Amino acid sequence: MQSKENTLKNETSIDELLKNMKLGEVKVYNKKKFVKIEFENEEFILSDGSIAIAAITSCTNTSNPYVMIGAGLLAKKAVELGLSVKPYIKTSLAPGSWVVDEYLKKANLLPYLEALRFHVVGHGCTTCIGNSGPLHPVIEEVVKKENLIVASVLSGNRNFEARINNSVKVNYLASPMLVVAFALSGNIDIDMTTEPLGKDVNGNNVFLKDLWPSSYEINDYISKYLKKDLFEDKYATIFNDKIWDNLKVEATDLYKWQNNSTYIKKAPYFDNFKIDINPISEINNARVLALFGDSITTDHISPAGKIPKDYPAGNYLIHNGVEEKDFNTYGSRRGNHEVLTRGTFGNVRLKNLLVKPKEGAYTLKFDQKNIEFIYDASVKYQQEGIPLIVIAGKEYGSGSSRDWAAKGPKLLGVKAILAKSFERIHRSNLIDMGILPLQFNENQDYATLNLDGSEIFFIKGLEDLNPNKLLHITAIKSDKQKIEFDVIARLDTQKEIEYYKNDGILSFVLRKLLKQTQARGN
């Protein structure tokens, strides 16, 4: 495919822009890039803002019959007028319950959704958890080669960076009805109040107002087709699962680990475990593994979606005989710490300021001045006995309360996270894994303190901890300049201090059980 980019003047009309484009040609209009492609023996224009994924997904929205019936009615009107969805858009319908399938069938609305290629692909978490699957190879190639900013629109409840699909840079949440409407338009940057979604069979413009069902229409369908017996019939057999029932059960006291499993492995949380607590020591000679800005989410820290083949987790799976088509996702392999540790800070859109403007799971190994994967650097640091910290801005750990966003950093050798503020649940999860959450004092952050992440850190005052104790940090730059400041240890309660002293809640619980057992034995 040729890639010749021409920038046209603003006064050039969009019709003129597209009329004489050759296959594979790239043109720019108002800073928006257009590429002419061939897909399934047809020619199309793919551009910045083109929709690549349109998904009616997530149990939170698909449990609402009003919007699901509404989506079906909107699809019905669109099909009757002759509108269609471009074939390169990856469409899907994933209700949270089989009941949705049934009332859409009984209302004769499912065929219209299917005519727009919104076929039922499953029930439960799909696109919004990162299970959209890959884009078509033709679309994937063009997006990557031309660095197109394509979009997804989904009725889910999560749209964090790179969560939906690694190749889709912008993701928008919408109702199921609007998902269908945007799929018809094919582009995310459309004003549906003034611009048409398409043309009918007679060439007339069709607007959103022409398709949008009234409340009366929706309520009429709901009263006719949403009945109590639909729920009773489906839920009566909800636990009847032949595959599950046919599993062979072997009664054992302990789980039999399979060393060759790439899905479930025994995690090293209790390796070298001792019943007595080790005294808390100061954190000395620590290096910065990553330096982040604001709003680093748990999806940045512990992605749930596709495993890239050229990232450490993908390399691990290939080394263990897993073909790329069988990688599945980070989320599906969360029982294997080898995969999830390698995937920690593995978001392809991650912006570690130590290696800016490079994006992805990379860091700078300071003593060697090498840019490498965060996982690889952490392994070397741990072999050298060097503790690690992460520095960030506001709202560190926002998003889904994912336990691996704390487990992963723990296994990477991270001892403390220093941030302007923490998401509430993630702060607790860090403590539960024995990682110390530290908060800058008001009006301070790494920028105001002139920290760039290259420093060596010494954290003092960990003895005699009490809630929200001020700790003292000394950061030494390469020219021996010292930067000294206090931070707040975000151990907010005495119980959290106990968890931290025990190196996390897992060790705390195990020690408690062992001591109780010893007491009964005596």
Side-chain angles (χ1 to χ4, degrees):
M1 179 179 291
Q2 60 181 345
S3 179
K4 185 178 180 182
E5 185 174 311
N6 299 312
T7 301
L8 282 81
K9 297 179 180 179
N10 287 346
E11 59 265 22
T12 306
S13 71
I14 193 72
D15 291 334
E16 183 181 344
L17 168 80
L18 305 178
K19 184 170 60 176
N20 298 314
M21 284 183 68
K22 299 176 182 178
L23 193 64
E25 187 175 6
V26 180
K27 290 188 176 181
V28 176
Y29 178 76
N30 280 345
K31 299 182 180 180
K32 183 175 177 179
K33 190 179 290 184
F34 295 81
V35 186
K36 193 167 191 177
I37 66 168
E38 183 177 359
F39 187 85
E40 295 186 357
N41 300 318
E42 292 186 67
E43 293 184 354
F44 298 96
I45 300 296
L46 202 65
S47 69
D48 290 328
S50 286
I51 292 173
I53 294 174
I56 301 174
T57 180
S58 171
C59 54
T60 54
N61 281 301
T62 59
S63 63
N64 182 343
Y66 189 96
V67 293
M68 293 305 296
I69 291 289
L73 287 171
L74 193 147
K76 180 176 184 291
K77 294 182 180 185
V79 171
E80 289 172 345
L81 288 171
L83 274 64
S84 62
V85 174
K86 290 180 175 60
Y88 60 76
I89 299 177
K90 189 163 191 174
T91 50
S92 61
L93 170 58
S97 167
W98 287 357
V99 174
V100 179
D101 303 29
E102 289 303 307
Y103 68 66
L104 287 175
K105 289 177 184 176
K106 287 184 178 295
N108 197 34
L109 295 177
L110 189 58
Y112 293 103
L113 286 163
E114 292 175 337
L116 298 180
R117 298 190 300 106
F118 283 95
H119 295 269
V120 175
V121 296
H123 298 85
C125 295
T126 53
T127 300
C128 67
I129 192 59
N131 291 338
S132 67
L135 302 180
H136 191 282
V138 170
I139 307 303
E140 194 91 47
E141 178 190 355
V142 175
V143 168
K144 183 176 181 179
K145 183 177 181 181
E146 305 300 343
N147 194 28
L148 287 182
I149 303 174
V150 294
S152 78
V153 57
L154 63 148
S155 65
N157 53 18
R158 299 288 190 276
N159 64 338
F160 301 120
E161 277 191 308
R163 177 178 175 126
I164 308 305
N165 187 287
N166 288 348
S167 297
V168 179
K169 290 187 177 180
V170 291
N171 308 286
Y172 295 91
L173 304 182
S175 73
M177 298 153 77
L178 282 177
V179 169
V180 176
F182 274 108
L184 291 167
S185 76
N187 213 291
I188 201 68
D189 54 349
I190 177 177
D191 182 352
M192 292 189 181
T193 63
T194 60
E195 299 177 64
L197 302 183
K199 294 183 182 294
D200 64 18
V201 291
N202 296 316
N204 299 314
N205 286 335
V206 178
F207 295 86
L208 180 63
K209 63 183 180 181
D210 301 320
L211 304 179
W212 197 263
S214 68
S215 296
Y216 174 81
E217 289 177 279
I218 295 174
N219 287 324
D220 183 52
Y221 267 77
I222 288 177
S223 64
K224 288 179 180 177
Y225 300 109
L226 197 67
K227 302 296 182 182
K228 178 182 177 182
D229 60 341
L230 287 178
F231 294 88
E232 292 177 339
D233 291 345
K234 287 298 178 185
Y235 292 164
T237 58
I238 195 171
F239 294 111
N240 296 349
D241 188 319
K242 292 181 180 179
I243 297 176
W244 184 261
D245 293 341
N246 291 335
L247 285 176
K248 292 182 180 179
V249 178
E250 183 179 354
T252 59
D253 291 333
L254 297 174
Y255 181 78
K256 293 185 177 180
W257 300 98
Q258 298 178 4
N259 293 331
N260 63 344
S261 174
T262 57
Y263 275 97
I264 301 176
K265 288 185 75 71
K266 182 182 178 182
Y269 302 129
F270 299 119
D271 290 358
N272 303 315
F273 177 83
K274 297 178 181 177
I275 193 168
D276 294 322
I277 299 175
N278 292 323
I280 295 177
S281 58
E282 295 176 337
I283 300 174
N284 294 321
N285 297 302
R287 282 290 193 177
V288 177
L289 184 63
L291 176 67
F292 298 125
D294 297 337
S295 300
I296 292 297
T297 71
T298 51
D299 268 82
H300 289 113
I301 306 166
S302 177
K306 179 182 177 181
I307 301 174
K309 67 178 180 180
D310 54 348
Y311 267 37
N315 291 332
Y316 167 84
L317 292 173
I318 290 172
H319 179 75
N320 282 273
V322 181
E323 296 183 34
E324 185 182 1
K325 66 181 179 63
D326 298 320
F327 275 8
N328 216 318
T329 63
Y330 286 115
S332 67
R333 291 187 179 272
R334 67 186 68 186
N336 186 327
H337 68 279
E338 299 282 8
V339 175
L340 270 292
T341 305
R342 286 165 171 79
T344 301
F345 299 115
N347 190 303
V348 297
R349 300 278 173 255
L350 187 72
K351 296 175 180 62
N352 182 357
L353 301 180
L354 297 181
V355 294
K356 66 178 184 181
K358 191 176 183 67
E359 289 187 344
Y362 301 96
T363 194
L364 183 65
K365 181 78 165 53
F366 282 105
D367 50 351
Q368 297 170 339
K369 302 298 182 185
N370 288 341
I371 292 179
E372 52 189 287
F373 283 116
I374 287 174
Y375 172 78
D376 294 336
S378 80
V379 170
K380 294 174 183 177
Y381 277 129
Q382 290 185 81
Q383 290 172 345
E384 297 163 4
I386 296 175
L388 298 171
I389 66 172
V390 170
I391 302 179
K394 296 181 290 187
E395 300 173 342
Y396 182 83
S398 56
S400 304
S401 55
R402 191 168 300 148
D403 60 348
W404 262 106
K407 289 178 178 176
K410 171 74 171 183
L411 296 179
L412 289 179
V414 173
K415 301 299 182 182
I417 310 283
L418 175 57
K420 286 201 70 174
S421 64
F422 293 88
E423 192 277 334
R424 178 180 58 87
I425 297 176
H426 184 64
R427 183 192 64 82
S428 296
N429 287 346
L430 290 173
I431 298 167
D432 289 346
M433 290 309 302
I435 297 175
L436 181 63
L438 301 174
Q439 186 168 310
F440 287 105
N441 278 305
E442 191 173 358
N443 299 322
Q444 283 189 339
D445 58 23
Y446 59 81
T448 62
L449 292 166
N450 195 31
L451 301 172
D452 61 16
S454 65
E455 301 83 5
I456 298 175
F457 286 78
F458 297 81
I459 304 173
K460 308 292 185 182
L462 290 172
E463 70 284 351
D464 300 323
L465 283 169
N466 51 65
N468 298 138
K469 182 181 179 180
L470 284 179
L471 304 181
H472 188 73
I473 293 183
T474 300
I476 302 177
K477 289 185 169 291
S478 58
D479 61 1
K480 306 304 180 183
Q481 176 190 353
K482 289 184 179 181
I483 300 175
E484 300 194 54
F485 57 101
D486 290 337
V487 296
I488 304 166
R490 286 299 311 278
L491 303 170
D492 295 353
T493 66
Q494 197 61 46
K495 181 61 71 176
E496 289 181 345
I497 291 174
E498 288 301 310
Y499 292 159
Y500 179 68
K501 286 181 177 179
N502 278 271
D503 197 32
I505 195 171
L506 298 177
S507 298
F508 172 85
V509 171
L510 182 57
R511 285 193 176 95
K512 186 176 181 180
L513 288 173
L514 290 173
K515 289 177 180 179
Q516 289 174 346
T517 301
Q518 287 180 346
R520 285 196 296 268
N522 293 336

